[in-house]
C-alpha cells in the first residue's frame, strides 16, 4: 500500500501541517497563523494549549483530505531555541516565547562569565547569544524561581508537540545543538554546562537512531482515524529539515529565506575549528553529520520593514501613488517588480543599505547599526528597494567569502522560502556573490523535510528557476561591494 507522511512545521509566523509521499511531493496542506497573545508576566507569547490546538486542528484537517490508512509517520520541525518547560505531570509552566521577542535579556549568565567564548564554541559549536536556551533557563531561574523549581523537563517547541502526541519527552540532535547545552563532539548533553545551568536532570533524552521514536497515542490515533502504528519523531531544526527535503549534500548549500535567512551545508570532515570560530561559522549535528550554518536575521525582516515604511508613505501622502493603491500597504508584487531595477547595469547608486535592522549574524563580532546611508530629498521608493536588495546581496557575499576563507567550498546554492519569489533580490544575490542560485518548486520544504525524516527518506531538489550571475554587472557589483565592506569594517571597529 502506498504510504504518506505528515510533516508539522511550527514557525514564528505560521504553523503548517502537510502530507507528502515518498518522493517528498506535497499532497495537502493546512495552515494557521501564529498570532501572539499578550501575557501580563511573559509578554507577547503563544499559550501552550493554543499551540497544540492549532497543531491538532491542522493534523485533523489534512488527514481528512487524504487516505488516513496510508499515513505511516509524523515528523515535527520548528523554530529552534524557544521552548516550553513542563512539570512532572506534563503541564506547561510557561507559554511559548518566540526567539525574536524582546525582553529575553542580553546579559551573559553569571555561571558563564568565567567560560571563554572559544571554550563554549569548542564544545557546542555556538558563539554566545542571548537567544539560546541556556540563557532562557537562567532568566527563568532568576525571575520565576517557583516555576523553575516545579520544572521537570525543558522541551523545545518540537519536543513539546511530540510529548502531547506520544507522552514521551524526547528531542533530536539538531535542536539539542541550539540550546548551548549539547556537546556536539561527544554527542550528549554537556555535563559541566548542564550542571552550571542547573538542568542536569531537566533535559529530554536525545534520540540518535530513527527506530527509537515512539508511536502516536492510541487516544489521538482513534480520534483522528489514524493507524495505531504511526510513529512520531522530531525531525529537527526547520532549516535542516528543509535541507533534507532538497537532498543537500557535498558542497551544495541551502539558502533558506524567511524572516531570518540562513546559509547551511554539511561537512564530511571538520576544517580547523579556530578558523571557523574566528569567522562566526556555527556548527551542529543533524542526521549523523556535522553541519555548518550562518545567519542573516535581518534579511526578510528588512523587506517587511521597508514595506511597512512604504505603507505609511502611501497612506499619508495625497498623490498619485495613494490614488493607485487606495492608501493600502504596498503589495509584494509591486515591491518585487520594483526590485528588478536594482541597478547592476546603471551608474553606481549612492544609496547604501545595511541589513541589520533585526540584528546581525554571528559572523559579525560587534553589533552594527542598520538602515540607509546616502539618502536625500530625491530618494524614492525604487531607490530604497534597490538598496535593500543590494545590501542583502552584499551580506550574502560576506558570508560566502568567510566560508571560503575557512576552507568550506560552496557550489550551487539551492534557495527556498518566500524570498525566492523576489526575482530582483535573487538576481542581485547571484551577481554580488558570483554564485548560481537555484530556486526550488518545493514551497513547504521544512514540513516536507520533517515528514521525510520521519519516514527515514531523503528528498531531492526540483528546479523552478536557475539564476546565473550577469557578467555585465560584475564591475558595478565589485565597486558597490567594496564600498559596503569598507563601511561595515569601519562601523565594526
Amino acid at each position: 500500500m502506498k504510504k504518506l507522511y505528515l510533516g508539522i512545521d511550527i514557525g514564528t509566523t505560521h504553523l503548517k501541517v502537510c502530507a507528502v509521499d515518498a518522493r517528498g511531493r506535497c499532497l495537502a496542506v493546512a495552515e494557521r497563523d501564529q498570532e501572539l497573545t499578550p501575557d501580563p508576566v511573559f509578554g507577547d507569547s503563544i499559550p501552550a494549549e493554543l499551540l497544540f490546538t492549532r497543531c491538532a486542528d491542522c493534523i485533523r484537517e489534512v488527514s481528512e483530505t487524504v487516505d488516513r490508512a496510508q499515513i505511516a509517520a509524523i515528523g515535527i520541525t520548528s523554530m529552534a531555541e524557544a521552548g516550553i518547560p513542563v512539570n512532572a505531570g506534563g503541564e506547561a509552566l510557561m507559554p511559548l516565547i518566540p526567539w525574536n521577542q524582546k525582553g529575553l535579556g542580553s546579559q551573559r549568565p553569571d555561571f558563564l562569565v568565567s567560560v571563554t567564548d572559544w571554550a563554549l564554541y569548542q564544545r557546542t559549536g555556538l558563539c554566545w547569544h542571548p537567544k539560546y536556551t541556556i540563557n532562557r533557563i537562567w532568566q527563568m531561574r532568576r525571575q520565576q524561581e517557583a516555576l523553575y523549581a516545579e520544572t521537570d523537563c525543558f522541551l523545545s517547541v518540537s519536543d513539546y508537540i511530540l510529548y502531547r502526541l506520544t507522552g514521551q519527552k524526547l528531542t533530536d540532535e539538531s535542536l539539542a545543538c541550539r540550546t548551548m547545552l549539547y556537546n556536539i563532539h561527544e554527542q550528549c548533553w554537556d555535563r559541566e554546562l548542564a550542571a552550571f545551568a542547573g538542568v542536569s536532570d531537566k533535559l529530554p533524552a536525545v534520540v540518535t537512531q530513527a527506530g527509537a521514536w515512539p508511536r502516536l497515542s492510541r487516544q489521538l490515533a482513534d480520534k483522528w482515524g489514524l493507524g495505531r502504528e504511526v510513529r512520531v519523531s522530531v525531525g529537527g531544526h526547520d532549516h535542516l529539515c528543509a535541507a533534507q527535503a532538497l537532498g543537500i549534500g557535498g558542497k551544495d548549500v541551502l539558502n533558506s529565506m524567511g524572516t531570518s535567512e540562513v546559509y547551511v551545508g554539511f561537512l564530511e570532515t571538520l576544517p580547523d575549528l579556530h578558523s571557523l570560530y574566528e569567522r562566526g561559522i556555527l556548527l551542529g549535528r543533524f542526521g549523523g553529520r556535522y553541519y555548518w550554518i550562518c545567519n542573516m536575521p535581518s534579511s526578510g525582516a528588512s523587506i517587511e520593514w521597508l514595506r511597512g515604511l512604504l505603507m505609511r508613505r502611501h497612506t499619508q501622502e495625497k498623490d498619485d501613488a495613494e490614488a493607485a493603491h487606495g492608501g493600502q500597504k504596498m503589495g509584494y508584487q509591486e515591491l518585487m517588480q520594483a526590485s528588478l531595477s536594482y541597478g547592476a547595469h546603471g551608474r553606481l547608486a549612492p544609496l547604501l543599505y545595511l541589513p541589520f535592522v533585526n540584528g546581525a549574524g554571528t559572523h559579525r563580532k560587534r553589533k552594527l547599526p542598520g538602515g540607509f546611508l546616502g539618502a536625500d530629498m530625491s530618494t524614492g521608493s525604487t531607490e530604497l528597494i534597490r538598496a535593500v536588495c543590494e545590501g542583502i546581496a552584499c551580506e550574502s557575499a560576506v558570508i560566502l567569502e568567510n566560508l571560503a576563507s575557512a576552507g568550506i567550498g560552496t557550489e550551487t546554492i539551492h534557495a527556498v522560502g518566500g524570498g525566492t519569489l523576489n526575482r530582483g533580490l535573487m538576481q542581485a544575490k547571484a551577481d554580488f556573490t558570483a554564485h548560481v542560485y537555484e530556486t526550488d518548486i518545493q514551497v513547504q520544504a521544512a514540513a516536507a523535510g520533517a515528514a521525510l525524516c520521519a519516514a527515514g527518506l531523503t528528498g531531492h531538489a526540483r528546479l523552478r528557476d536557475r539564476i546565473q550571475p550577469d557578467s555585465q554587472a560584475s564591475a558595478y557589483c565589485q565597486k558597490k561591494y567594496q564600498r559596503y565592506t569598507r563601511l561595515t569594517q569601519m562601523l565594526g571597529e
Side-chain angles (χ1 to χ4, degrees), residues 119-136:
L120 283 172
Y121 185 85
Q122 286 178 291
R123 298 181 183 197
T124 67
L126 302 177
C127 299
W128 183 84
H129 190 280
K131 73 179 181 180
Y132 293 129
T133 312
I134 194 171
N135 305 293
R136 292 167 177 259

Side-chain angles (χ1 to χ4, degrees), residues 422-443:
N422 189 336
R423 180 56 192 256
L425 173 59
M426 298 309 299
Q427 188 63 57
K429 283 187 173 186
D431 292 345
F432 276 86
T433 66
H435 277 71
V436 174
Y437 280 74
E438 292 187 351
T439 62
D440 201 87
I441 64 172
Q442 177 62 268
V443 296

Side-chain angles (χ1 to χ4, degrees), residues 184-492:
I184 64 173
H185 308 298
E186 296 181 1
Q187 293 184 254
C188 62
W189 295 114
D190 188 282
R191 290 179 293 276
E192 187 176 6
L193 289 175
F196 282 164
V199 292
S200 297
D201 58 347
K202 297 177 183 289
L203 296 170
V206 181
V207 175
T208 57
Q209 295 181 347
W213 294 105
R215 292 179 177 86
L216 180 67
S217 74
R218 286 195 171 190
Q219 179 184 5
L220 292 177
D222 293 343
K223 179 179 180 180
W224 294 327
L226 303 180
R228 292 187 174 180
E229 297 301 315
V230 173
R231 293 271 181 186
V232 186
S233 65
V234 173
H237 193 327
D238 49 8
H239 298 303
L240 294 163
C241 283
Q244 180 87 0
L246 271 64
I248 299 296
K251 293 183 179 180
D252 282 358
V253 175
L254 175 71
N255 178 208
S256 182
M257 300 173 64
T259 303
S260 177
E261 177 175 334
V262 305
Y263 285 82
V264 63
F266 295 96
L267 297 165
E268 298 302 327
T269 58
L270 281 179
D272 176 63
L273 274 184
H274 199 267
S275 179
L276 298 176
Y277 165 73
E278 285 295 317
R279 292 164 178 81
I281 301 169
L282 306 184
L283 296 172
R285 291 190 63 86
F286 175 76
R289 295 181 290 176
Y290 284 103
Y291 69 82
W292 60 260
I293 187 169
C294 297
N295 66 323
M296 291 194 338
S298 296
S299 177
S302 293
I303 299 290
E304 198 57 37
W305 174 66
L306 176 61
R307 191 166 169 249
L309 292 178
L310 296 177
M311 172 193 68
R312 287 190 285 274
R313 177 185 174 190
H314 280 269
T315 302
Q316 295 169 3
E317 292 181 357
K318 304 297 182 181
D319 56 11
D320 292 340
E322 183 184 55
H325 299 282
Q328 299 301 309
K329 193 171 186 178
M330 178 180 240
Y332 281 113
Q333 291 300 322
E334 181 190 357
L335 186 146
M336 292 174 188
Q337 185 63 34
S339 73
L340 288 172
S341 61
Y342 80 90
H345 298 292
R347 61 182 177 81
L348 194 63
L351 193 62
L352 276 173
Y353 176 71
L354 304 183
F356 311 122
V357 292
N358 198 39
T362 54
H363 58 284
R364 296 293 185 180
K365 296 298 184 182
R366 291 181 175 83
K367 184 176 180 180
L368 293 174
F372 297 96
L373 182 67
D376 58 29
M377 295 294 289
S378 67
T379 302
S381 59
T382 299
E383 288 80 12
L384 294 173
I385 294 168
R386 184 176 74 183
V388 167
C389 290
E390 292 182 349
I392 295 170
C394 284
E395 195 65 8
S396 295
V398 170
I399 288 174
L400 294 177
E401 283 189 359
N402 279 343
L403 291 169
S405 62
I408 298 176
T410 57
E411 293 180 352
T412 299
I413 299 176
H414 301 268
V416 295
T420 62
L421 299 176
N422 189 336
R423 180 56 192 256
L425 173 59
M426 298 309 299
Q427 188 63 57
K429 283 187 173 186
D431 292 345
F432 276 86
T433 66
H435 277 71
V436 174
Y437 280 74
E438 292 187 351
T439 62
D440 201 87
I441 64 172
Q442 177 62 268
V443 296
Q444 306 294 348
L452 291 172
C453 284
L457 301 171
T458 300
H460 62 278
R462 288 175 288 169
L463 183 67
R464 185 184 72 210
D465 196 7
R466 182 179 174 87
I467 300 99
Q468 300 269 10
D470 185 345
S471 59
Q472 297 182 33
S474 177
Y476 174 93
C477 293
Q478 288 179 13
K479 290 179 181 178
K480 195 64 179 282
Y481 183 60
Q482 289 170 2
R483 182 183 293 178
Y484 178 88
T485 53
R486 283 198 302 268
L487 178 61
T488 52
Q489 287 171 3
M490 180 184 67
L491 292 172

